[in-house]
Amino acid sequence: MLITACSVASGMVFSARVWAQSAPAPIIVPSTPDTGATPILPTGTGTPSAQAVHIAKIRKIYHRLLLKEKNIAAAVSFIDKHQIEAEGPSGSIQSLLKQTPSVNEYQQGLGQAVPVLTIRGVRNSQLAQTLDGIPLQDLLSGGQGSFLNNNVGSPVTLGQISNTAVYPGVAPPNRQGFATIGGTIAYTLKKPSSKPSAEIFAGYGSFDTSHIGIELNTGAYKNQIDGVRALLRYTQSYTAGYIDNTNARYGDLLLALDKPYNDGLSHLTADVIYNRGQGYVLTSPLPVPELQQNGASFNFPKSDTYNRQNDKYLTVILGDQTYINQNVIASAKVFYIHSESDQTNYLSPAFNPSVYNPAQPYGIDGQALSQFYTASNFGPGNTFYKPGLFTYNPSAVFGQAYAGINATQTNDHTTTIGFTPRVHIFAGVNNITVGGLFAKETSAGSQYIYGTDPMPQIAGYNSFALGGGAQRTIYTVFASDKIELLNNKLQIEPGISLTGVYSSNKVPLSYFHSQGYKLANYGKTAEPYLGVSYQLPYNMVAFASYGKGARFAPTTDYSLGSAGSSTSAPKPEIVHAYQAGLRYDTPNLYLKADYFYQKITSAFSFFTNYNTGLSSYINVGAQQFSGVEASGKYRLTPSVVLFGNASYNRARYLNSYAANVTPFQGQFGYAFKGDPVTSAPAWLGNFGVTYNDGPYSARIAGQYTGQQYTTFDYNPTDAAYIPGTAQPASGFPGIQYGLQTAPNKSFLLPGFLTLNVLLKYNVPVHFQSIKVLTLSLNVKNLLGLNYYNHFYNVYQQISGNSPTGFLATSPYAAAFYGPPRTIFASVSAKF
């Protein structure tokens, strides 16, 4: 982990200029801070030691690669430790990304609470995420968990990362990660420092939000260059949430070990992360009339309904990086990731859909999964009865079927193991990286239905789903080269990634099939990449790139309708991404602008005909994203820096097909050719100023989210809204078409601007053991703006209380409010 090649391997690049974003942290050099700064040679007199000669050679390579990485042919954006700090306790590792161009994000609560993310309009499930080069997203479905699973907490959190890079579009193969058609987010984990230190910190703020923690750095053992060093960090936080009844609690633990050897030129590393999150979340936006009547923080009381999640994440990464000689660096990591999500849903039996209740004209949509099972008795005598799976009789135990199925318990867990070898070869004008990803992820789960929470969880009694599970095995190899020509002015970066994926889903027993089944297939893709950059006069660099990306179908698509499926699973989605731009880079002024064009073909399409029971999984979708991005920084004075970025994105469907029409995939609907992609703002922007002078520092930042198209529900009684669909089944139109939506071209959700402030003061201290005592004040949405960050029009769904029994007679709006003003004060002491 000594030279910038290591940084290349982990997907991190940076500008050489003094005020640009901090260099990513995989580089650890003797006597050098973990910021990626230039290596410092050992000092002293007399004849240089063999160690000093080694380090001198590495220093030359380091500077050479540093200059080349400045000319990367990608529209990459970096987030440093100061921006992470500015995000504060109310943010998440996803909301952090909104500080960069073309990124939109919203979430339900403070902290790591159900984030929804897009980059250039491409959703989170279609993006790659890496942590020190290993895949971080769920390999089975994309994102960090499928719909309504693993949404509280995260495998890595804000306090555990040192910096982040965002590669929109398609990144070079050695930075790309697994299965993306929209971009790569590369997180870098905190590393132990060479000097010992200790820090304790705590804070309190709005909505009963509290935060306390400790971070310990042992420093190098006996100050030796090859001395083992360790970092231990633990934090605990709680928030009542700015939405009523969405309280959450988090606990995050990080242990990072580093053992240099070979005079500090090579490293053995071990990282262990164990994070927990428990809290209440909304499964769908709330009715706007309820919000207008009861206030922006309104949520249904827990006595009526709730969705509670208890999520756990364990990540273990073991790595070795060996300096063979000045031409070859070899590295490898093995990793283990395990996550558990226990979800409890409850809906009061008072909300019986067959009884009209004028006090609840909008019903409660989606808060409890059991409502989607209607009011049937699944016990003995029912059409769907399965001996050995569900013998519990809801009517006999609770007096009526509906009262006996108003709670569900869903338990899911996934396990991933993997290996990422890499070799970096530096030969003349060529800088070659060859590597791969070999990984396997498995998942399994169970579900139980009962009338109360807590409930018994007895297989064969109240089990609604048991056994089975999905798995995916990945074989990826890649090769890339960076060729320097014309005295290093011209950089050409060709590369290719070859991936083979075996996927399967096993369902041993279900209510819709008399016997279990297993669906599986093997798919493969080749993804070429070509990037070019050229050093122009006057500190300018021109760059352009093309890349192909592929995303394999979620394993949930390996399933059958009650009458079967038209195919076991679709082929991969494909993107062809182009970008070209110009950078101007000087010590006091940095400017960047680029144009991008991304076309997604073979997009996944899913539709179930509820009259025939036939499900269709096919690749018929197409989308196009194109626009411009710009960013800049200007050092006005030694203490004052101005910054800003902006992006414009035109997102359109290129054909008509059944699709997930919201980023969170909570709505299934129909996209028509030429329609705008919903929840993809045309304009996004950030601007602000930082001030640093002695013990005082401040950051004032504005975030603008432009207008965006929303969705609307088709009238459930209209059977002709999708060509070729059958009439709704008699008596159950809401079950079939209540969620069928399309982009709403007649309405744009208004844009909004929020202002955030971070103030810090290092208090002069006179205690020998305390090095730094810092007071900080973090304010989000300083102006107290009320705004919606997600919105659509919906018809009453299954839990409806309306004159028609299942459906309201007219649609109403449903939405998520954005976070109100939040104020958080904290103190930290560093020893």
Side-chain angles (χ1 to χ4, degrees):
M1 296 185 175
L2 184 59
I3 63 174
T4 306
C6 312
S7 181
V8 174
S10 68
M12 294 298 185
V13 294
F14 52 92
S15 169
R17 295 300 179 183
V18 33
W19 60 271
Q21 309 284 11
S22 297
I27 306 165
I28 302 177
V29 297
S31 304
T32 302
D34 299 337
T35 59
T38 303
I40 301 173
L41 294 177
T43 59
T45 59
T47 304
S49 65
Q51 171 187 315
V53 173
H54 274 304
I55 297 176
K57 291 179 180 179
I58 296 302
R59 183 175 183 179
K60 292 179 181 179
I61 298 175
Y62 180 91
H63 283 297
R64 180 165 162 260
L65 292 177
L66 181 64
L67 179 62
K68 291 189 308 180
E69 287 303 293
K70 170 187 161 186
N71 299 336
I72 184 173
V76 60
S77 298
F78 300 98
I79 298 173
D80 62 22
K81 63 179 182 179
H82 303 294
Q83 292 170 283
I84 295 173
E85 185 179 48
E87 194 62 21
S90 63
S92 65
I93 60 171
Q94 286 82 14
S95 66
L96 170 71
L97 308 176
K98 196 171 181 179
Q99 299 183 38
T100 65
S102 294
V103 174
N104 188 34
E105 189 271 352
Y106 65 86
Q107 56 193 66
Q108 293 183 13
L110 306 180
Q112 200 69 41
V114 201
V116 178
L117 174 71
T118 61
I119 298 180
R120 293 178 177 172
V122 182
R123 69 188 60 172
N124 189 34
S125 60
Q126 298 168 308
L127 306 173
Q129 299 166 59
T130 63
L131 177 64
D132 286 353
I134 70 164
L136 191 63
Q137 80 262 31
D138 184 352
L139 303 182
L140 298 175
S141 62
Q144 286 189 7
S146 56
F147 181 59
L148 292 181
N149 286 324
N150 299 105
N151 301 130
V152 180
S154 173
V156 66
T157 55
L158 276 175
Q160 297 170 336
I161 59 175
S162 62
N163 50 67
T164 304
V166 180
Y167 298 86
V170 174
N174 59 346
R175 303 176 178 92
Q176 189 176 118
F178 171 71
T180 175
I181 57 171
T184 300
I185 305 161
Y187 298 103
T188 302
L189 199 61
K190 281 187 173 179
K191 307 297 179 185
S193 64
S194 59
K195 301 296 182 182
S197 65
E199 183 179 6
I200 57 174
F201 45 89
Y204 184 80
S206 302
F207 309 105
D208 196 22
T209 302
S210 60
H211 181 74
I212 188 169
I214 185 171
E215 181 172 306
L216 303 175
N217 262 296
T218 65
Y221 177 69
K222 291 186 177 180
N223 203 29
Q224 296 175 350
I225 195 169
D226 282 347
V228 66
R229 60 195 70 173
L231 166 68
L232 176 65
R233 178 185 175 93
Y234 178 75
T235 61
Q236 185 169 307
S237 57
Y238 170 83
T239 180
Y242 63 87
I243 300 174
D244 294 342
N245 308 311
T246 59
N247 51 296
R249 187 180 302 277
Y250 307 95
D252 304 324
L253 173 68
L254 166 65
L255 173 63
L257 302 174
D258 176 29
K259 175 60 177 76
Y261 64 97
N262 189 20
D263 289 332
L265 300 178
S266 304
H267 286 258
L268 287 169
T269 58
D271 303 307
V272 179
I273 311 170
Y274 180 65
N275 296 338
R276 297 172 298 161
Q278 181 178 10
Y280 293 83
V281 304
L282 304 177
T283 60
S284 64
L286 294 164
V288 169
E290 297 272 19
L291 296 174
Q292 292 173 337
Q293 177 179 340
N294 300 294
S297 67
F298 169 78
N299 181 23
F300 296 104
K302 293 178 182 178
S303 58
D304 288 345
T305 184
Y306 57 80
N307 180 298
R308 183 179 66 247
Q309 294 190 26
N310 185 5
D311 299 334
K312 302 175 183 177
Y313 311 86
L314 173 64
T315 303
V316 180
I317 308 170
L318 303 177
D320 176 55
Q321 186 148 302
T322 302
Y323 171 79
I324 298 175
N325 56 49
Q326 64 180 5
N327 298 107
V328 181
I329 301 289
S331 64
K333 290 181 180 177
V334 293
F335 60 92
Y336 170 88
I337 303 174
H338 180 77
S339 65
E340 297 181 6
S341 180
D342 296 331
Q343 182 181 169
T344 305
N345 306 272
Y346 174 78
L347 180 66
S348 169
F351 295 92
N352 191 322
S354 63
V355 179
Y356 173 57
N357 181 358
Q360 292 290 340
Y362 309 106
I364 298 178
D365 300 326
Q367 289 290 82
L369 296 181
S370 58
Q371 67 173 302
F372 291 112
Y373 305 141
T374 72
S376 298
N377 179 0
F378 292 100
N382 184 268
T383 303
F384 300 115
Y385 172 65
K386 292 292 187 299
L389 185 65
F390 194 89
T391 58
Y392 157 67
N393 190 320
S395 296
V397 177
F398 285 89
Q400 57 174 308
Y402 188 78
I405 62 170
N406 64 314
T408 60
Q409 176 69 38
T410 306
N411 306 318
D412 293 305
H413 60 84
T414 63
T415 300
T416 306
I417 56 173
F419 175 54
T420 57
R422 297 194 178 194
V423 176
H424 312 281
I425 303 171
F426 310 98
V429 299
N430 299 96
N431 298 272
I432 302 167
T433 304
V434 179
L437 166 66
F438 306 93
K440 181 177 182 179
E441 180 170 322
T442 58
S443 73
S446 58
Q447 190 175 68
Y448 302 86
I449 299 180
Y450 203 64
T452 61
D453 172 34
M455 70 175 71
Q457 299 178 40
I458 304 173
Y461 174 63
N462 65 326
S463 49
F464 191 73
L466 276 178
Q471 74 95 6
R472 171 162 285 166
T473 305
I474 300 163
Y475 311 91
T476 296
V477 294
F478 67 82
S480 65
D481 190 8
K482 196 159 195 178
I483 307 168
E484 301 171 325
L485 300 172
L486 304 179
N487 196 26
N488 297 338
K489 288 186 177 181
L490 176 64
Q491 313 267 332
I492 302 176
E493 189 171 3
I496 190 168
S497 176
L498 304 175
T499 300
V501 172
Y502 172 79
S503 307
S504 68
N505 190 24
K506 183 179 180 181
V507 181
L509 185 63
S510 76
Y511 276 92
F512 304 105
H513 299 87
S514 58
Q515 59 184 1
Y517 64 87
K518 178 181 179 180
L519 299 177
N521 74 355
Y522 177 82
K524 57 184 178 180
T525 63
E527 301 166 49
Y529 175 88
L530 178 63
V532 179
S533 66
Y534 185 76
Q535 182 75 48
L536 297 169
Y538 307 110
N539 301 300
M540 290 191 294
V541 175
F543 63 90
S545 67
Y546 159 77
K548 176 187 175 182
R551 178 195 176 220
F552 294 85
T555 51
T556 52
D557 284 359
Y558 292 69
S559 59
L560 301 176
S562 58
S565 175
S566 61
T567 182
S568 60
K571 299 178 297 182
E573 294 179 307
I574 300 295
V575 67
H576 296 274
Y578 306 82
Q579 55 187 343
L582 189 67
R583 277 191 293 266
Y584 175 81
D585 193 355
T586 68
N588 291 320
L589 178 62
Y590 175 85
L591 298 171
K592 180 184 72 174
D594 65 87
Y595 169 80
F596 64 88
Y597 174 86
Q598 298 173 193
K599 183 178 180 180
I600 296 176
T601 58
S602 303
F604 302 146
S605 179
F606 160 75
F607 183 74
T608 294
N609 186 320
Y610 285 89
N611 286 320
T612 64
L614 184 68
S615 294
S616 174
Y617 298 85
I618 51 178
N619 297 85
V620 296
Q623 302 171 41
Q624 176 181 296
F625 306 88
S626 60
V628 293
E629 300 163 327
S631 60
K633 279 189 176 182
Y634 175 59
R635 186 174 294 280
L636 184 64
T637 72
S639 302
V640 179
V641 173
L642 307 177
F643 64 88
N645 61 63
S647 60
Y648 171 77
N649 181 22
R650 187 175 186 271
R652 292 290 184 273
Y653 292 103
L654 298 182
N655 60 358
S656 301
Y657 64 104
N660 286 313
V661 292
T662 56
F664 193 47
Q665 305 182 106
Q667 284 186 292
F668 296 94
Y670 207 78
F672 291 95
K673 181 178 180 179
D675 278 356
V677 175
T678 57
S679 302
W683 290 96
L684 291 166
N686 293 270
F687 61 91
V689 58
T690 62
Y691 173 80
N692 291 279
D693 187 10
Y696 302 97
S697 65
R699 177 185 175 92
I700 303 174
Q703 287 188 334
Y704 175 73
T705 303
Q707 294 179 321
Q708 53 190 296
Y709 286 97
T710 63
T711 62
F712 71 92
D713 277 4
Y714 286 100
N715 190 327
T717 61
D718 180 4
Y721 69 93
I722 298 178
T725 60
Q727 295 287 331
S730 175
F732 297 95
I735 297 175
Q736 296 183 67
Y737 297 128
L739 289 176
Q740 294 297 329
T741 67
N744 187 353
K745 292 182 288 186
S746 63
F747 174 76
L748 280 167
L749 184 66
F752 54 89
L753 172 68
T754 59
L755 194 63
N756 307 317
V757 176
L758 173 64
L759 304 176
K760 293 179 60 180
Y761 175 58
N762 292 330
V763 182
V765 292
H766 304 287
F767 301 101
Q768 186 176 1
S769 58
I770 300 179
K771 296 178 181 178
V772 180
L773 182 66
T774 303
L775 303 178
S776 63
L777 183 68
N778 191 300
V779 184
K780 293 293 186 69
N781 192 5
L782 176 67
L783 304 180
L785 178 70
N786 289 325
Y787 62 94
Y788 297 122
N789 53 25
H790 185 60
F791 184 100
Y792 60 80
N793 281 297
V794 60
Y795 278 88
Q796 177 59 57
Q797 296 169 28
I798 296 172
S799 63
N801 298 302
S802 68
T804 59
F806 279 90
L807 298 167
T809 55
S810 61
Y812 61 90
F816 287 132
Y817 258 118
R821 181 189 296 113
T822 59
I823 303 174
F824 194 87
S826 62
V827 59
S828 67
K830 192 167 185 179
F831 301 88

